[in-house]
Amino acid sequence: MTAPANAVPGRAERSLRQTLLSPGYRRLLLLCVLLGVPIALACFFFVGLQHELQHWVWTSLPEAAGYDTPPWWWPLPALVLAGLILAPIVTRMPGGGGHLPVNGQRRGVVVRHAGHRTTGHRRLTWRPG
């Protein structure tokens, strides 16, 4: 059911109108635009770069190496590189690489160990609670 054309706006509608027309709300909108547009452009160009990189890795690079199609072992060097980059992070950072997915998204507690047996450095780990 619609309100008659000559109806007086309700208190909630006036409050909403005042909020939307207030200087603070306009400054917040301006801040959102100033942050959102560059972030959206960065995301757009990142996706474009990712597309070009995939084309280069899976089409141009194998052709330059003399293959018609990428050979079966083509992804292995990237997997080895990813393992070499991530192994020190998983072994040396607190948490051991994250929670076990089989345990679900439970909260845990941070446990402080007395020290590493060879270096004596303390480390924090996350244990499911």
Side-chain angles (χ1 to χ4, degrees), residues 44-60:
F44 174 79
F45 287 115
F46 174 75
V47 170
L49 176 68
Q50 181 183 12
H51 171 75
E52 292 299 322
L53 188 62
Q54 282 184 352
H55 178 74
W56 179 73
V57 167
W58 293 102
T59 306
S60 301

Side-chain angles (χ1 to χ4, degrees), residues 71-113:
W72 66 269
W73 52 266
W74 196 255
L76 295 180
L79 292 174
V80 169
L81 179 64
L84 290 174
I85 292 172
L86 290 177
I89 294 171
V90 170
T91 57
R92 290 182 174 83
M93 295 295 290
H99 72 282
L100 294 174
V102 75
N103 293 335
Q105 295 287 342
R106 290 186 285 167
R107 292 184 177 205
V109 295
V110 175
V111 179
R112 183 179 299 267
H113 292 282

Side-chain angles (χ1 to χ4, degrees), residues 23-38:
Y25 188 77
R26 289 185 181 195
R27 283 193 303 264
L28 182 62
L29 283 176
L30 179 65
L31 176 68
C32 291
V33 168
L34 292 176
L35 288 174
V37 170

